[in-house]
Amino acid sequence: MKKRIINPWTWQEERSYVQAVEVKETAGTLYCAGQAAVHADGTSSNADMRTQLGLAIQNLETVISEAGYECHNIVRLTVYTTSSDEFIKNCFDVFQDFVAKHGMKQVVTLMQVVALYETLNVELEATVVK
């Protein structure tokens, strides 16, 4: 697989994403359903957004790993949240740590939604290549 990062500017680097990723010669593409703070027994977390983000990240890492892919090769990540303000103020460092941990270079869309399933307030949807 070959990846090319397109960044006409530099300001997005401090926000832990890139403007575009071109992917050629892939061996596979994994489309992950939204991963949220759902425990292994299927119950939804009722914790604060920061705690929920940590569990959502763990769940996403598990799905990607079980599929035989690597988080390093996430090329698209959509973050759904019930409060983009709270996500940016209270959770953005957790997000940035996740990106840095895996050395990711991915496009990101942060989207505020009215509600998520049950008590959930953040969800991550990813596209991964190899």
Side-chain angles (χ1 to χ4, degrees):
M1 174 219 17
K2 296 180 182 177
K3 287 195 302 187
R4 181 172 70 109
I5 305 303
I6 297 91
N7 269 337
W9 313 280
T10 58
W11 57 262
Q12 70 282 329
E13 292 169 10
E14 67 185 46
R15 297 179 184 153
S16 300
Y17 76 97
V18 300
Q19 296 296 332
V21 179
E22 178 184 45
V23 182
K24 293 182 179 183
E25 302 174 25
T26 62
T29 304
L30 180 68
Y31 301 94
C32 299
Q35 297 300 307
V38 177
H39 300 286
D41 66 0
T43 59
S44 298
S45 172
N46 59 3
D48 59 73
M49 186 181 293
R50 186 177 180 88
T51 303
Q52 284 195 20
L53 178 59
L55 182 53
I57 288 169
Q58 288 175 6
N59 288 343
L60 182 60
E61 290 171 332
T62 298
V63 168
I64 291 169
S65 176
E66 287 287 322
Y69 286 71
E70 298 176 17
C71 290
H72 172 77
N73 289 324
I74 292 174
V75 294
R76 181 169 190 78
L77 186 62
T78 304
V79 180
Y80 300 95
T81 178
T82 55
S83 172
S84 57
D85 187 55
E86 181 179 352
F87 183 87
I88 291 165
K89 287 180 181 174
N90 300 324
C91 303
F92 200 67
D93 63 315
V94 174
F95 170 78
Q96 288 185 304
D97 289 347
F98 166 60
V99 171
K101 171 184 171 184
H102 295 289
M104 294 162 42
K105 298 286 185 191
Q106 78 296 329
V107 298
V108 173
T109 300
L110 174 63
M111 187 179 309
Q112 182 169 311
V113 296
V114 174
L116 292 168
Y117 185 69
E118 296 181 335
T119 57
L120 302 173
N121 53 37
V122 65
E123 188 169 314
L124 306 172
E125 180 181 73
T127 303
V128 192
V129 295
K130 70 172 163 181

